[in-house]
Amino acid sequence: EVQLVVSGGDLVQPGGSLRLSCATSGFTFSDHYIDWVRQAPGRGLEWLGLTRNKANSYTTVYAASVEGRFTISRDESKSSVYLQMSSLKTEDTAVYFCARSQTASPINYWGQGTLVTVSS
Amino acid sequence: DIVMTQSPDSLAVSLGERATINCRSSQSVLANSNNKNYLTWYQQKPGQPPKLLISWASTRESGVPDRFSGSGSGTDFTLTISSLQAEDVAVYYCQQYYTTRRTFGQGTKVEIK
């Protein structure tokens, strides 16, 4: 069974940093892209970025809104993907999802999400 | 980035009636190389992650009821629920995956009239 389990959500002050984890299982980790998507309270979905698969050297792409502040990385030994967030703003408050996709293919599996609250 | 615009933002439909949601992209998501539209539809219920309903604009995922259908090509797409059921109350999103920066529409909330 494909699973993506997101953890690490917390209350953080503006300007602070936080790292989210996405632990995966049930599929070949190196074959798939992993996307990060967020949803602010009562709002729609916002795609944040992705890490490509091993065949594409695990390269990353980011949405313009977070490029330079957010960094996606992988640990193949743990089948995990991380979202490092820095210089956090109140508008970064959201539920953060990780999800699985593939080259030029849609997201087909989602984790449950974790809440990040940026507030003083 | 490709901008995805859905209409309406919300709609209320009687049980058993048809619900139609539109999605327009700011540039074509049809690939000439394979004649495929890189457009997907998701359903999201409160407190849950999105669920993939339709990919390639019109291919229903396994297990998705056949009352859900997708159509359109290029820049204009439609999700149709042919006979609305109570369990279809949700927010529906389109997303393009033509470009690596995969953008979502703003969502359409479907309710029972």
Side-chain angles (χ1 to χ4, degrees):
Chain A
E1 180 190 6
V2 172
Q3 288 195 327
L4 301 101
V5 179
V6 190
S7 61
D10 205 347
L11 170 64
V12 61
Q13 292 193 335
S17 299
L18 192 66
R19 189 181 83 156
L20 305 182
S21 301
C22 174
T24 73
S25 60
F27 62 96
T28 303
F29 178 76
S30 59
D31 284 350
H32 291 272
Y33 289 27
I34 301 294
D35 296 61
W36 286 93
V37 175
R38 71 182 177 186
Q39 187 168 37
R43 306 294 296 274
L45 302 168
E46 180 185 11
W47 181 86
L48 299 177
L50 60 76
T51 166
R52 293 186 174 98
N53 56 13
K54 192 170 187 176
N56 287 284
S57 304
Y58 291 146
T59 51
T60 53
V61 179
Y62 299 94
S65 60
V66 301
E67 191 154 28
R69 292 194 304 128
F70 289 10
T71 302
I72 298 171
S73 61
R74 288 198 189 221
D75 184 338
E76 203 170 329
S77 67
K78 296 181 179 179
S79 295
S80 292
V81 177
Y82 305 97
L83 179 67
Q84 178 69 48
M85 304 182 291
S86 61
S87 302
L88 284 163
K89 309 172 185 178
T90 56
E91 53 263 41
D92 294 319
T93 294
V95 173
Y96 286 72
F97 298 97
C98 67
R100 190 191 85 166
S101 66
Q102 189 45 284
T103 307
S105 294
I107 291 171
N108 55 7
Y109 285 95
W110 296 73
Q112 284 299 316
T114 190
L115 176 63
V116 173
T117 302
V118 184
S119 174
S120 55
Chain B
D1 291 353
I2 297 178
V3 177
M4 308 299 291
T5 303
Q6 292 181 227
S7 62
D9 290 334
S10 65
L11 75 161
V13 175
S14 301
L15 289 172
E17 296 300 306
R18 179 184 299 260
T20 301
I21 301 168
N22 299 302
C23 174
R24 175 167 289 176
S25 57
S26 61
Q27 66 186 74
S28 177
V29 299
L30 172 64
N32 293 328
S33 59
N34 57 11
N35 203 36
K36 286 187 172 184
N37 288 284
Y38 287 61
L39 188 285
T40 190
W41 289 97
Y42 296 96
Q43 175 193 65
Q44 188 182 31
K45 297 181 178 180
Q48 297 182 17
K51 173 188 175 183
L52 178 60
L53 293 179
I54 289 171
S55 56
W56 309 109
S58 60
T59 302
R60 209 166 32 244
E61 293 298 303
S62 175
V64 173
D66 61 7
R67 64 181 179 273
F68 291 92
S69 64
S71 63
S73 185
T75 61
D76 289 281
F77 301 90
T78 300
L79 174 69
T80 301
I81 309 172
S82 60
S83 175
L84 191 74
Q85 304 300 303
E87 61 265 32
D88 301 333
V89 170
V91 180
Y92 294 84
Y93 295 91
C94 61
Q95 185 197 29
Q96 64 80 20
Y97 46 102
Y98 184 80
T99 59
T100 308
R101 288 179 168 168
R102 309 166 182 209
T103 44
F104 289 94
Q106 80 275 19
T108 296
K109 186 175 185 179
V110 174
E111 299 174 306
I112 305 295
K113 184 187 293 183

